[in-house]
Amino acid sequence: MSKRLRFLGKNGSPGNTCPSLYETEDGFVTQGWRTESPGTVEIPHVLLGYADPGTFIGSPLRDTGRGTFLVSGEPVTDPDMLAQMEIAPNETAVEVPKMERAFYGEAVAG
């Protein structure tokens, strides 16, 4: 069953036309640059700032050291979901869990 996407923001390319972050009822869809690993996209750090306060991407992020993260998730293949996005030829999209922050305290008590 197709999911409705709620657009959250786009940033990172010249003119800030992509990559993009979307929200579904139970997760996020990250539209980013294709990588050599299926199910993994590259997104700019700034894209995460579009997530609603109190939420975060529930998938490990690997910092590339050049202002981007690699994020892995379930490849988006549903035609109705894909039709809701403007995807450049060098991009693809993955769905990742949406988690809620539960604690904002110190890393070390003391």
Side-chain angles (χ1 to χ4, degrees):
M1 183 170 146
S2 295
K3 296 180 181 181
R4 180 160 168 75
L5 301 179
R6 182 172 75 96
F7 174 75
L8 297 176
K10 57 175 63 183
N11 201 323
S13 66
N16 295 324
T17 58
C18 55
S20 301
L21 183 65
Y22 299 88
E23 182 181 46
T24 68
E25 55 276 353
D26 58 353
F28 290 108
V29 171
T30 58
Q31 173 189 334
W33 298 296
R34 290 184 187 276
T35 67
E36 294 179 3
S37 301
T40 300
V41 296
E42 186 172 350
I43 61 171
H45 290 171
V46 69
L47 199 63
L48 300 180
Y50 294 109
D52 289 335
T55 66
F56 65 96
I57 289 179
S59 178
L61 301 170
R62 292 179 297 174
D63 197 320
T64 65
R66 58 178 184 264
T68 61
F69 291 117
L70 297 176
V71 60
S72 297
E74 186 66 32
V76 175
T77 58
D78 180 274
D80 291 332
M81 287 176 68
L82 292 169
Q84 295 175 62
M85 298 180 265
E86 295 178 29
I87 301 179
N90 65 333
E91 294 181 332
T92 191
V94 297
E95 189 169 6
V96 295
K98 176 175 53 177
M99 307 297 288
E100 292 187 17
R101 286 187 166 85
F103 177 71
Y104 288 94
E106 298 176 26
V108 178

